[in-house]
Amino acid sequence: MASANCWRCLARPSQRLLLPASIFTPATSTISAAFTTSAAQLSRAAPTVKTAQKQEAGLSRHIRSGKRLTLGKKKKRQADRSKPPASGERKAFRKRIQLSNDNALEVPGLGQLTAENIVDSSSVGQVIGLPPALVDQLRASEAFKPTQNWGLFRSPHMLIRKETVDLATQLTDAIGKKETLRLVITGDRTSGKSILGLQALATGFLNDWIVINIPEAQELTTAATEYSPIPNSEQFSQPVYIIKLFQAIYKANYAVLSQLRVELDHMQLPISVNRGTTLAALASATKEPEFAWPVFQAFWKELLLPGRPPILFALDGLSHIMRISDYRSPDFELIHSHDLSLVRLFTDALGGNTKFANGAAILGVCTEGNSPIIPSMVKALEQAKAAQEGQPIPPRDPFFAKYDERVFDALKGVKVLNIRGVSKPEARSLMEYWAASGILRMRVDEKNVSEKWTLAGSGILGEMERVALYDVRTST
């Protein structure tokens, strides 16, 4: 019997096979085999309800509230059995001063600093050593700074700059006339202001003056030391710091103070001080903090009597005492720095309110590395410098209403000594000393001196040390 369809139609693919299965299969139905022999494949193809709940619980486990995610096993920390540092040990290590290095070469042929050659203009550009007795006095007064590279050399030496001779000459001339020199040292950062202040202190020690030095003014105003109100006064004393200052004065000026006698009656003191007692004994008379400020007042009155040696009063970090301090009064109001008794003593001397019958030098050193910006101090020094040079005094900014009159009173009429970089001959002399000490490994000629002098910003001492001393590893 013949077929109803032709053989060509049978060879063609069926239209049902060409269309998608979703047209013929309902959306709600699922395709599954009627019979299977693989239970494992069936379980993977259709997970149970419990398995799905477990998987969801595992995915959301890390976001459950009150749970802490632990990525690994907890390891027990080993107990630190090392001995903790004692009280003040970290600060002592941070502020340690190393003034000699046995590994450095000894430089022969260098002279010693004296009271004569520090004011001699022919000494400019020379590197001169410090006598051992002077080193002990400067160390006792904390004139050396931890940031200065004294530990790179065999013994302490310093460069006599043109500014050194000018400053020493001003000091000796003013005190020789029994006048008071009120001077503020300013300059760029790392230009050698603290070294110049050290040279001023050395001038005082070499001339047998009474030298009082406050090495860090920020220790007086940053609420780092104890303080207490003075009875019947608006000022506040810092007894612990005053005792520390007494100890420094005693060690540094013992040779002079041991020859001076007490001439006034100090019946109001809580300790007995008789006439004829040496000022060295008066400086070391008190160990109790509550008696420190009255004894210091008596000591200061003795120094101001006629016939006493001249006084050199220096302070490093002048801008820190020209602002509101971090201390608070019993009413919880901030205390002005000039209401602190020791700071008031210095500002009265710097402002010209204290009369010195035997001559004195009041020296304030500014710092640029760690100092607040005080607009009143900047304007007061600008006016003082203009008056010193005979130029028109710049007026105050009329749109700035936060000028501090107490700062202007403290800096009224002071002289300003601005420090810049050293000259090329001074830089060459310094580099020759570095090379002779064995720490500068290059030829000291005109080319290298000009190169280091230019890279150091026209002879800034701190920058010269960076470009010349700290590249030893790269030059080897």
Side-chain angles (χ1 to χ4, degrees), residues 104-337:
L105 299 177
E106 186 175 358
V107 183
L110 299 181
Q112 294 288 329
L113 185 67
T114 61
E116 290 77 20
N117 58 14
I118 199 171
V119 295
D120 189 2
S121 58
S122 61
S123 301
V124 175
Q126 297 181 7
V127 177
I128 298 179
L130 301 178
L134 180 60
V135 171
D136 295 338
Q137 290 177 311
L138 293 174
R139 182 193 286 271
S141 60
E142 299 184 19
F144 300 105
K145 303 291 183 181
T147 56
Q148 298 166 355
N149 295 324
W150 301 101
L152 297 178
F153 308 97
R154 189 63 175 263
S155 59
H157 289 73
M158 63 182 184
L159 173 68
I160 302 298
R161 306 172 54 176
K162 180 180 179 297
E163 293 83 0
T164 304
V165 177
D166 293 342
L167 177 59
T169 303
Q170 292 185 44
L171 293 174
T172 54
D173 290 347
I175 291 181
K177 299 176 183 178
K178 294 188 177 182
E179 297 177 353
T180 302
L181 175 64
R182 299 179 289 118
L183 183 69
V184 175
I185 299 177
T186 62
D188 297 333
R189 185 177 181 182
T190 68
S191 59
K193 299 182 295 296
S194 296
I195 293 292
L196 197 63
L198 181 145
Q199 293 170 344
L201 297 179
T203 305
F205 286 124
L206 292 173
N207 288 277
D208 294 332
W209 301 341
I210 297 176
V211 178
I212 303 174
N213 182 41
I214 299 178
E216 293 291 343
Q218 63 178 343
E219 294 182 359
L220 295 174
T221 59
T222 54
T225 183
E226 293 82 351
Y227 72 109
S228 61
I230 300 176
N232 302 324
S233 175
E234 296 180 356
Q235 300 182 21
F236 297 82
S237 66
Q238 296 164 303
V240 176
Y241 189 90
I242 292 175
I243 290 180
K244 177 184 175 183
L245 182 62
F246 255 143
Q247 295 173 353
I249 295 172
Y250 176 81
K251 293 179 182 178
N253 303 274
Y254 178 78
V256 179
L257 295 178
S258 60
Q259 299 177 1
L260 302 176
R261 303 291 177 177
V262 175
E263 298 180 1
L264 299 177
D265 292 327
H266 302 284
M267 304 299 296
Q268 74 282 0
L269 292 181
I271 60 176
S272 87
V273 177
N274 301 323
R275 284 193 177 188
T277 306
T278 62
L279 292 187
L282 179 61
S284 61
T286 177
K287 305 295 182 183
E288 300 296 332
E290 58 268 19
F291 303 152
W293 177 243
V295 175
F296 191 87
Q297 284 182 311
F299 179 76
W300 183 254
K301 290 179 181 179
E302 291 288 341
L303 295 181
L304 297 181
L305 292 177
R308 301 296 192 185
I311 299 174
L312 174 59
F313 198 177
L315 180 141
D316 199 347
L318 185 63
S319 58
H320 289 281
I321 66 170
M322 297 296 173
R323 65 179 184 90
I324 304 296
S325 70
D326 296 336
Y327 292 100
R328 295 202 177 255
S329 65
D331 299 332
F332 205 70
E333 295 180 356
L334 290 173
I335 301 173
H336 197 282
S337 297

Side-chain angles (χ1 to χ4, degrees), residues 40-104:
Q41 293 181 359
L42 181 61
S43 63
R44 286 196 298 268
T48 60
V49 178
K50 292 183 179 181
T51 306
Q53 292 179 355
K54 289 182 179 179
Q55 291 178 356
E56 292 179 0
L59 291 175
S60 61
R61 182 180 301 171
H62 66 284
I63 59 174
R64 287 184 180 180
S65 60
K67 295 287 185 179
R68 182 179 179 181
L69 179 62
T70 55
L71 299 178
K73 294 182 179 180
K74 294 183 179 179
K75 297 182 179 180
K76 294 183 179 180
R77 295 183 179 179
Q78 297 181 356
D80 188 8
R81 298 181 180 179
S82 60
K83 184 180 179 181
S87 178
E89 186 175 350
R90 289 193 182 99
K91 184 176 181 180
F93 181 78
R94 187 176 68 251
K95 290 193 172 185
R96 71 191 187 280
I97 303 294
Q98 181 182 352
L99 298 179
S100 62
N101 186 0
D102 295 338
N103 296 324

